DNA sequence: CTGAAAGCGCTTACAG
DNA sequence: CTGAAAGCGCTTACAG
C-alpha cells in the first residue's frame, strides 16, 4: 500500500504538504495539489484509517446493537434499516459495527462495545419510552442518534415519524366516514412508537366524541397471525358489538385482518374498513393488497440517510437539538376504507 | 483514558516493560507483572486498539456482507448466524463490521470494504458452487472463512455440514420404510448447499434402485408457502402418480407440506411421510410440529464458534487446510415418517 | 505556500 | 529482567 511518504518521495515534497493537498487545505498551491492528486491516484494511495484515527481520535465507525425479540426473531424491519443505514453511512465513509444483544439488561451490550473503545457513536433502534440506553449513553457522553422518540423535549439527535399523528389521522378519516366502533391493533406498547400510537388513538377517539371498549384494543409484536387471530376474535362479537373498522400498526397485521374478514365473508370496505401504517417493507406492498390498502405511509428507508447524517454531524460537534427531525406520515386513501355500513347492507344489523 | 505511559510514570517503569507485563511476555519478573497488572486495573487501563493496530497491522475486525434475496428479504437464518457469530468473535476480542450488498456483482461490495482497509478478513455466508467471492478474495490474498463448501478439495478454511449425506440419510430412511415415490423440495440450487443436497438425493435414489420424475423435484428459496404450494400440486396427482414421501430442505418447507397434507385430509405419517433438514431456528421447532418432525439436524448456532475461530486462526497464520470442518448432521427419527401406505390403507389405491 | 518536528499510543528488535 | 529507541502512517501547530 502506498503511503504519504511514498508520494512525498516521488514528488520531492514533504509529507505535510502532501497530506494538506489531499485533505483539501486551502493554502496549498493549485499546481501542487494537482500533481499530488495525480500521483496519489496513480500510486493507488488510500489513507490509512488507523493512522488517521490514532491522531484524530475518531474511528469513523459507529455501532448498532440488534435486540432479539422474545421469540428470538429480530423483526424484519431491522434488516430494512440495516440495508439503508450501511449505505448511508458508507456515503460519509463510516462503517457499521454490529452486535446482537442476548441479555436482559439493555445497556450491558453497549457497555461492552464502549469498553472496546473503537466506536464514535451509536444508532439506537426500536426505542422504548424513557429508554435506559439513552440515559446510559448520555451520562457517558457518548454520541448517539435515536430512530424514534423516547420522550418529549430531549437533547439528543433523532429522526422519527409523528406516531401520535399516525393514529389521529387514521381515526379522523374513519370517523369522517361515519365509523363509531373502531378497533386498534397496536404493536408492543413497551416500544415508544406503540405508546405514541395508542395516545394518539385514544385522544382522537375522544376528540371525535366516541368511546372504545378495551376489548377493541390489542397489542403484540406485529405479525400476520396476530392480526388474523385478534380480528377473528373481535369480529365474532362474543364481547358485544363488533368493530366496523380496524386501525393496524403495520401492513402485516392488516394482512391478517383482511384474511379474517375473508374467512367471515365480510367485504372490505363494504362491511369493514381497514387502515394500516405502512413502513414500505418490500415484502409487504400495500398497493398489492386486495383491496389496495389505505395507509399512513413513511418508508423505513427514508429514515436511514437522516439517521446516518444526524449521528455523524453530532459526532462532529453539532448540537443534538439542531439534529432532530420529526416527519408527518403521509395519509394515502385507497380501497380498504369506506363509509360505515348502514341498515340492510350491514350484515350485523 | 489511562495509557501505558500513565502506568509507567506511576510505577517508575518504562512503557516497554509495562507493555510486556500486560501482554504476558514470559521474561517479566513476576513481582513486576503483578504490580503492573494491579495499577492497570486500578487506573482502568484499556489498551488503545487503534495504536495496537497501527503497529501490528491487525485491526481485530472482520467483515460480513449480507446479500439480500430477490424479494429483498434476507433469510432468517442470517440473523441466527449473526447472533452466534458476534458472540463468538467477541470471545476472541474481534468485532464484526457489516455491510449489505444491493448489487448484482457479488464481489463489488467486498472490493469496496477492502478499499477501506480496516478489515483482517471476511466471513462468507451462503456460498454458491464455485463462488466468485472465493476466487476474488483468494487472488487478493485476503483471509476468509466459508460457511459451507463451494467445491471439493479447497485450500481455504470452512465449516459446513455434509449436505450430500443429509439427503442420502433421508432417502435411505424412506427407502427402508418402503417408499418408492419420494419427492424433493430443495432450496435454491444456485447455492452450494442445495446443489449438494440434490446430488445426494439423486445418488441415493439411484442407489436404492428407484427413479424420480422431474415433477417430484422442486427448488426455491425455502418458505412455508413454497412447501404448501408445491406439495398441493404434487399431491393432486395431476402429473401422474403421487409421492408417498417428501424430503424437505428446511423445516419451513415441511410446515407447508404438513399444511397441504392436512388440507387434503392426508394423515402423516399414515398416508404421507415427511422429513426435513433442521437448522434449529428458534422460530421453527421441529419437535413442536404436529406430528413431531423427523429431521436431519445441525443447529446453525453450532457453526458460529468454529467459523469465528477458523477465521481468526487463519488470520493469525494457520494454514487454511488445517481449518476445515465438515460435520455429519444427526438423523432424528420422530413421528412424521412411517412405512409406506399399503393397499386399503392408502387412499390413493 | 511549504517544511521540519512533535506526537497520537502502542510494539518490538536491540542493548545491556 | 529492563530500558532507550525506532517506528507504524498519519495530522497539525509552529516557523519561515
Amino acid at each position: 500500500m502506498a503511503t504519504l511518504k511514498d508520494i512525498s518521495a516521488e514528488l520531492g515534497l514533504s509529507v505535510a504538504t502532501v497530506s494538506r493537498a489531499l485533505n483539501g487545505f486551502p493554502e496549498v498551491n493549485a499546481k501542487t495539489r494537482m500533481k499530488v492528486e495525480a500521483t496519489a491516484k496513480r500510486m493507488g494511495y488510500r489513507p490509512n484509517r488507523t493512522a488517521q484515527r490514532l491522531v484524530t481520535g475518531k474511528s469513523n465507525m459507529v455501532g448498532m446493537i440488534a435486540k432479539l425479540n422474545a421469540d428470538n426473531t429480530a423483526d424484519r424491519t431491522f434488516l430494512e434499516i440495516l440495508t439503508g443505514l450501511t449505505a448511508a453511512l458508507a456515503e460519509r465513509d463510516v462503517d457499521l459495527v454490529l452486535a446482537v444483544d442476548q441479555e436482559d439488561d439493555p445497556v450491558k451490550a453497549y457497555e461492552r462495545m464502549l469498553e472496546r473503545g473503537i466506536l464514535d457513536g451509536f444508532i439506537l433502534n426500536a426505542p422504548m419510552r424513557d429508554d435506559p440506553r439513552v440515559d446510559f449513553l448520555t451520562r457517558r457522553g457518548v454520541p448517539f442518534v435515536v430512530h424514534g422518540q423516547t420522550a418529549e423535549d430531549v437533547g439528543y439527535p433523532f429522526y422519527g415519524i409523528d406516531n401520535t399523528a399516525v393514529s389521529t389521522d387514521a381515526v379522523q378519516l374513519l370517523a369522517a366516514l361515519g365509523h363509531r366502533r373502531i378497533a386498534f391493533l397496536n404493536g408492543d406498547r413497551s416500544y415508544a412508537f406503540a405508546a405514541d400510537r395508542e395516545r394518539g388513538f385514544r385522544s382522537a377517539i375522544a376528540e371525535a366524541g366516541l368511546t372504545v371498549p378495551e376489548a377493541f384494543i390489542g397489542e403484540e409484536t406485529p405479525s400476520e397471525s396476530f392480526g388474523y387471530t385478534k380480528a377473528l376474535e373481535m369480529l365474532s362479537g362474543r364481547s358485544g358489538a363488533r368493530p366496523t373498522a380496524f386501525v393496524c400498526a403495520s401492513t402485516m397485521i392488516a394482512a391478517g385482518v383482511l384474511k379474517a374478514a375473508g374467512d367471515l365473508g365480510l367485504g372490505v370496505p363494504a362491511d369493514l374498513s381497514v387502515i394500516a401504517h405502512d413502513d414500505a417493507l418490500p415484502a409487504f406492498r400495500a398497493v398489492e393488497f386486495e383491496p389496495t390498502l389505505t395507509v399512513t405511509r413513511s418508508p423505513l428507508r427514508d429514515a436511514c440517510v437522516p439517521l446516518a447524517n444526524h449521528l455523524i454531524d453530532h459526532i462532529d460537534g453539532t448540537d443534538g437539538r439542531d439534529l432532530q427531525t420529526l416527519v408527518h406520515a403521509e395519509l394515502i386513501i385507497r380501497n380498504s376504507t369506506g363509509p360505515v355500513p348502514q341498515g340492510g347492507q350491514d350484515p350485523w344489523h
Side-chain angles (χ1 to χ4, degrees), chain A:
Chain A
M1 230 23 202
T3 68
L4 285 189
K5 204 155 95 185
D6 297 332
I7 300 177
S8 73
E10 182 86 3
L11 293 171
L13 288 166
S14 72
V15 278
T17 301
V18 175
S19 169
R20 283 189 282 248
L22 256 19
N23 287 305
F25 279 51
E27 63 262 36
V28 258
N29 180 298
K31 250 186 184 156
T32 311
R33 186 193 307 279
M34 297 194 64
K35 274 197 305 191
V36 170
E37 278 171 349
T39 49
K41 186 160 187 187
R42 180 165 53 75
M43 299 177 79
Y45 172 75
R46 302 273 156 202
N48 182 318
R49 305 265 160 217
T50 309
Q52 284 182 323
R53 184 191 160 190
L54 185 58
V55 65
T56 61
K58 271 185 40 184
S59 70
N60 278 339
M61 288 193 284
V62 299
M64 183 156 159
I65 298 181
K67 177 86 185 155
L68 292 179
N69 291 332
D71 60 354
N72 268 16
T73 65
D75 50 88
R76 58 201 315 154
T77 66
F78 174 66
L79 284 169
E80 181 73 5
I81 293 277
L82 217 50
T83 306
L85 209 50
T86 52
L89 289 169
E91 282 295 316
R92 294 193 63 177
D93 214 31
V94 170
D95 287 301
L96 183 72
V97 173
L98 192 82
V100 178
D101 182 15
Q102 304 182 73
E103 300 188 81
D104 294 332
D105 183 351
V107 308
K108 271 275 176 53
Y110 290 81
E111 207 156 7
R112 236 191 331 261
M113 282 262 81
L114 231 42
E115 272 190 358
R116 323 209 58 231
I118 58 163
L119 298 180
D120 293 337
F122 283 99
I123 292 133
L124 297 194
N125 195 24
M128 312 267 175
R129 273 249 131 195
D130 301 310
D131 198 298
R133 300 171 299 171
V134 167
D135 213 55
F136 172 75
L137 294 173
T138 304
R139 261 186 293 118
R140 292 277 189 118
V142 178
F144 62 92
V145 66
V146 175
H147 181 214
Q149 275 189 297
T150 63
E152 314 307 313
D153 188 33
V154 296
Y156 58 75
F158 66 82
Y159 176 97
I161 62 172
D162 185 340
N163 279 303
T164 313
V166 160
S167 291
T168 54
D169 284 358
V171 170
Q172 280 168 12
L173 171 66
L174 294 171
L177 290 167
H179 293 272
R180 303 185 55 79
R181 298 198 303 276
I182 303 173
F184 183 38
L185 298 182
N186 198 7
D188 179 343
R189 219 175 340 213
S190 52
Y191 289 102
F193 87 91
D196 290 348
R197 297 263 181 93
E198 183 172 343
R199 269 191 311 126
F201 180 81
R202 291 191 189 272
S203 79
I205 287 285
E207 190 78 22
L210 306 176
T211 55
V212 56
E214 287 310 308
F216 276 18
I217 297 186
E219 55 133 2
E220 200 176 295
T221 304
S223 73
E224 186 170 340
S225 73
F226 165 57
Y228 181 71
T229 315
K230 267 297 182 188
L232 224 45
E233 185 184 315
M234 293 182 189
L235 292 171
S236 73
R238 243 170 282 140
S239 34
R242 303 170 182 88
T244 63
F246 278 87
V247 174
C248 305
S250 82
T251 49
M252 283 178 271
I253 296 176
V257 172
L258 291 180
K259 200 169 154 205
D263 284 7
L264 294 170
L266 296 175
V268 175
D271 304 317
L272 190 71
S273 283
V274 178
I275 180 170
H277 181 70
D278 183 10
D279 286 323
L281 296 179
F284 281 88
R285 299 190 20 89
V287 285
E288 289 169 5
F289 276 49
E290 183 52 40
T292 58
L293 203 58
T294 294
V295 296
T296 48
R297 184 171 191 273
S298 173
L300 221 46
R301 278 293 170 95
D302 290 356
C304 298
V305 173
L307 276 175
N309 287 333
H310 281 3
L311 177 55
I312 296 170
D313 290 343
H314 190 45
I315 290 167
D316 288 346
T318 307
D319 190 282
R321 294 201 180 261
D322 297 333
L323 298 167
Q324 303 182 330
T325 314
L326 195 67
V327 303
H328 195 115
E330 187 186 7
L331 177 65
I332 304 177
I333 300 177
R334 299 204 187 89
N335 297 321
S336 65
T337 44
V340 66
Q342 300 289 350
Q345 291 167 297
D346 181 350
W348 301 318
H349 289 253

